[in-house]
Structures are given as structure tokens and as C-alpha cells.
Amino acid sequence: MPMRHDVLEFAVLGVLSDSPLHGYELRKRLAVVLGPFRALSYGSLYPCLRRLQARRLIEELAVTPATESTAPPLSARRARVVYAITADGKEEFATWANSPGPEAWEDEGFAAHLAFFSRTEERVRLRILEGRRSRLEERVEALRDSVVRGRAKVDAYTLTLQQHGLDGAEREVRWLNELIQNEQSSTPQSRPAQAITTPEEQA
Amino acid sequence: MPMRHDVLEFAVLGVLSDSPLHGYELRKRLAVVLGPFRALSYGSLYPCLRRLQARRLIEELAVTPATESTAPPLSARRARVVYAITADGKEEFATWANSPGPEAWEDEGFAAHLAFFSRTEERVRLRILEGRRSRLEERVEALRDSVVRGRAKVDAYTLTLQQHGLDGAEREVRWLNELIQNEQSSTPQSRPAQAITTPEEQA
DNA sequence: CCTGCGATATATCATCCTGATATGTTGTGG
DNA sequence: CCACAACATATCAGGATGATATATCGCAGG
């Protein structure tokens, strides 16, 4: 999937709005933000940074290569280019975070919006979650059709795989329903926690 | 993800070994075979067909409706090119289906192997399922680490998303365990069926 | 001590895939 | 009888990836 430019750019702005970063670290954080651990190449990241720079939404912070006075181990490094968000960039990011377009229902776009939900207004949060839910409900319908229609035609293994995919999609809808409920009742800072340490899992 | 050439080629051979097909229909069936509904472009399919043709693993069946018209030149009816697998192609496919390499643990490779499991020997089926399981267990471990380590650092929404991803990965391991059990006891043609019509799903 | 390895860090490029687009045919509901 | 959707093949600009190159740093083990 070609990763829409706007999604990537706003994800970069979002990550940089926490603190200035250099490319290497930025890339790692983006991998977390854009869907579960979908790393992107530098061949995509650097052009994106250049685009944002051209629009004055980010700027380079020249890191002093000089070793001031003391000679601690943290000097003389290779030039690390640190990028920082500008005032214009912050404005642009805030606008995007609160104006969900169709990109917000897609996988990457939704993950990116969710990653910055704490900077999104409550009513907008609900719009995004509900939009995402109906997007997924469409997918569930498509899969259900396919499983029902293909029941006779495909072999047992393929059917099992399709059923597994369908179950997963339904599970995702249920997860979104939970999020929506939490959103409607109160701010969700204290969800049930859902046992970080999961059960066993026999060898 | 760039879709490995070998996986695509063997998936094509597998689909064509059922019956000869033209490109349009072939593509649709490949979308089912290669992971849940991951359609590929003609820009990938046609070169793949040309590669297979060059290696004499498939051949074109010229289907000409033969309209003996005297109409202007070039107005001949557009040819529907039907591709068929050759004897060499069948041999190559059988070899692949029963010799799982590392590609069989990855998403597309596994889906492709599973789609042709009925043409795979039992002991090989087990090898593939177990290889895939350990591949997924690695993923679960990575996600678990990330959720545990990042628990304090990320906000509640991102944590929820990560937890959701982890749950999904664990669910996939359980599914594979079921398949492996069925494989070990007998041929799995009659899995519990798991209710094609799923429960309700409140609006 | 110093050697090698893995992580940190930036950058480029050939290769190849996707999404858009073009063109034309068949079938069908209004 | 027309419009519109599905069928069918094909090309290409644009762009993402994975490989590769370069260089520093921290550290484990010989």
C-alpha cells in the first residue's frame, strides 16, 4: 500500500510535536504510530521531511558538532540532523487532528488518528471511531458474503482461513464498539486494563 | 510488501492446475488464494505470466470466436487469452507444494500453501503449520515486549491499539493450534463448522 | 588492549508494484 | 434502445521498498 502522503506528513508532524528528533528515531516512532509496527523506508521518510521543510512546517535544528569545554563521551558524533516542528506546523497538525477526512477510516489513517487522540476533541474522536466502525462493517459484510457463497466451492482449508479472517474482522468491530462506549460514558483514561499479562499458552 | 516472485508464480500454477483461465478470472482467484482478498495488479500478473511462459510451465490456449467479418482491419474481436498449465508446470507445482521453504512461514506464502493443502502430503502439512506457528509466536513475543515496555510511555489509546494487536496475534496462534490438532488426529474435512452465521452483533 | 559485532545514523538508487487510465465488449435493467 | 455495470486486456507515471554504502559508538570476549 502506497501510504498516502498526507497521512505520513501529519504523522511526522504529530510525532515531532512531542519533541524534536533525528531521522533514525523518528522512523522508529512512526512505525509504532502507523499501524502496528509497519516500518517505512528512509527513501520515503527523507522526501517527506523535505516536503514539510519546503512548506515551513518543520525546520532543522543544527546540532552543535563542537565539543564545548568538557570532553565527555557524548561529543564528536557524526552530524545528526534534528528536525523540529514550527508554529505553522503545530497549527496544521491541530487542524488535521480535528478534521477527519475519508483517510481516517482506512488502516493507516485510522491508526495515525488514534495515536494522537489525546490531542483530538471529544466529538471528533467519536466521529472517527464511528466512521472506522462502518468501514469495518462493510468489510465484515464482504467477508461474510464470500464465506457463505464460497462454502460449497472451496476446500475445507481455504474455508477455515476465510472463517478465521471473518472472525477477526468481527472481533475488530466489537473492539471499536467498546472504544465508542468508553468514549460516550467518560474519558477513557482508565479502561479495564484487560490483563496485560495474558493467560498461559501451552507449548 | 513486494510479493515474492516465487510465491506468485506458484500460486498461479496452483490456480491454473484446476482449469485453464484467462487473466481477468485468474486475478480474482489469486486474490482469494494470496491472503484474504489481497488483489494484485495486472502490472504484476502479466509479467508473471510471461515469465512462466518463457519457462514453458504454462502455455496460451488461443480461443478464437472467429468472426469472419469483412469489417475494417484491426476491428477483430479482442482476443481472450486463456492460459493453461503444462506437464512441466504441474511437476514444478507438485514439487513446490511439498517442499516448504522459509517463504511458507510468511503471510502470503503461508496463505498460498494453505490454499493448496489438499494437494500437499500430510507430513508436509504439519511442517508448514508448525513453522507458521513458531513464526507467529515470535511476533507475539515482540508485541508482548512492546506492550509491556511501552506501558508507561504511551497514552491509553495507543496502548489499547497495541493490546488489540497482541490479542489478535495470540488468537492466530490458537487457531493454528486447532489446525495442528485436527491434522494430527485425522483428516480435517469435518471441523466443528463454527457457526457460519455468527451471533448477533448489536447495532 | 583491541577486535569484531550490533546498534545508531544518514543517504542513494535500481527494481518493481500499484493505481490510474485507456479501450473495447457483453449483458441487463429501465 | 440506451445507460450502466461487469468483463477483459494493456500500459505507464509515480513512488515505495530493500539493498547497499558509509561512518561512529558501546561493549563482550579473546
Side-chain angles (χ1 to χ4, degrees):
Chain A
M1 52 181 102
M3 173 66 77
R4 298 177 46 152
H5 273 189
D6 51 1
V7 172
L8 179 53
E9 283 164 15
F10 287 115
V12 168
L13 290 181
V15 171
L16 287 184
S17 69
D18 284 332
S19 72
L21 292 173
H22 47 101
Y24 189 83
E25 178 68 20
L26 179 56
R27 179 178 179 250
K28 283 197 299 187
R29 301 214 188 172
L30 282 173
V32 176
V33 162
L34 302 166
F37 306 86
R38 178 146 191 72
L40 77 159
S41 68
Y42 292 113
S44 302
L45 177 58
Y46 289 133
C48 173
L49 290 171
R50 275 175 228 131
R51 286 196 303 272
L52 289 171
Q53 236 175 329
R55 287 162 60 199
R56 311 281 169 143
L57 303 179
I58 64 172
E59 61 188 351
E60 289 185 14
L61 294 186
V63 169
T64 64
T67 75
E68 282 287 327
S69 48
T70 57
L74 47 96
S75 58
R77 275 210 174 179
R78 187 178 218 252
R80 294 158 85 235
V81 184
V82 174
Y83 299 92
I85 193 170
T86 64
D88 281 357
K90 282 183 183 172
E91 214 175 297
E92 188 82 358
F93 174 73
T95 302
W96 172 74
N98 291 292
S99 308
E103 87 283 351
W105 326 138
E106 303 307 318
D107 292 346
E108 290 86 4
F110 174 70
H113 270 282
L114 196 69
F116 305 116
F117 248 27
S118 50
R119 271 163 277 178
T120 303
E121 296 166 27
E122 280 185 48
R123 60 181 178 81
V124 179
R125 289 204 287 250
L126 212 57
R127 275 233 307 286
I128 292 173
L129 291 172
E130 282 165 351
R132 176 64 175 171
R133 180 174 57 182
S134 53
R135 184 76 184 67
L136 282 176
E137 275 164 352
E138 288 168 25
R139 191 180 300 181
V140 166
E141 270 325 296
L143 286 171
R144 186 127 55 197
D145 278 4
S146 163
V147 170
V148 171
R149 269 194 288 99
R151 196 155 79 260
K153 280 177 289 190
V154 303
D155 66 291
Y157 289 107
T158 303
L159 186 60
T160 303
L161 180 62
Q162 289 184 8
Q163 183 66 50
H164 178 66
L166 175 54
D167 291 347
E170 285 169 344
R171 191 178 144 274
E172 210 157 331
V173 171
R174 286 196 298 274
W175 175 65
L176 274 171
N177 280 332
E178 274 179 53
L179 284 187
I180 289 170
Q181 294 242 297
N182 283 337
E183 204 62 52
Q184 283 169 334
S185 52
S186 70
T187 29
Q189 77 283 9
S190 65
R191 288 218 320 125
Q194 180 122 2
I196 294 291
T197 45
T198 45
E200 72 310 325
E201 189 164 329
Q202 83 298 12
Chain B
M1 52 182 105
M3 173 67 76
R4 298 177 49 151
H5 274 190
D6 52 1
V7 172
L8 178 54
E9 284 165 15
F10 287 114
V12 168
L13 291 181
V15 172
L16 287 184
S17 68
D18 284 333
S19 73
L21 292 172
H22 47 103
Y24 188 83
E25 178 68 20
L26 180 55
R27 179 178 180 251
K28 282 197 300 187
R29 302 214 188 172
L30 281 172
V32 175
V33 162
L34 302 166
F37 306 86
R38 175 143 192 74
L40 78 160
S41 68
Y42 292 112
S44 302
L45 178 58
Y46 289 134
C48 174
L49 290 172
R50 275 174 230 133
R51 286 196 304 272
L52 289 172
Q53 237 175 328
R55 286 163 60 198
R56 311 280 170 146
L57 302 179
I58 65 172
E59 60 188 353
E60 290 185 11
L61 295 186
V63 175
T64 7
T67 47
E68 299 285 332
S69 71
T70 60
L74 298 184
S75 70
R77 178 196 156 111
R78 194 171 256 259
R80 293 164 79 238
V81 183
V82 174
Y83 299 92
I85 193 168
T86 64
D88 281 359
K90 281 182 183 172
E91 214 176 298
E92 188 82 359
F93 175 72
T95 301
W96 173 75
N98 291 291
S99 307
E103 86 284 350
W105 326 139
E106 303 309 317
D107 292 345
E108 290 86 2
F110 175 69
H113 269 282
L114 196 69
F116 304 116
F117 249 27
S118 50
R119 270 163 280 179
T120 303
E121 297 167 27
E122 281 184 49
R123 59 182 178 81
V124 178
R125 289 204 287 252
L126 212 58
R127 274 235 305 289
I128 293 172
L129 291 172
E130 282 166 351
R132 175 63 174 172
R133 179 176 56 181
S134 53
R135 184 76 183 69
L136 282 176
E137 276 165 351
E138 287 168 26
R139 193 181 298 182
V140 166
E141 268 325 295
L143 287 171
R144 187 126 55 197
D145 278 5
S146 163
V147 169
V148 171
R149 268 194 289 99
R151 198 157 77 260
K153 280 177 287 192
V154 304
D155 66 291
Y157 289 108
T158 301
L159 186 60
T160 303
L161 179 63
Q162 288 185 8
Q163 183 66 48
H164 179 66
L166 174 55
D167 291 348
E170 285 169 343
R171 190 178 144 272
E172 212 157 331
V173 171
R174 287 196 298 273
W175 174 68
L176 275 171
N177 280 331
E178 274 179 52
L179 284 187
I180 288 169
Q181 295 243 298
N182 284 336
E183 205 61 51
Q184 282 169 333
S185 51
S186 70
T187 30
Q189 79 285 8
S190 64
R191 287 222 318 127
Q194 179 121 5
I196 295 293
T197 45
T198 47
E200 69 313 326
E201 187 164 328
Q202 82 299 9

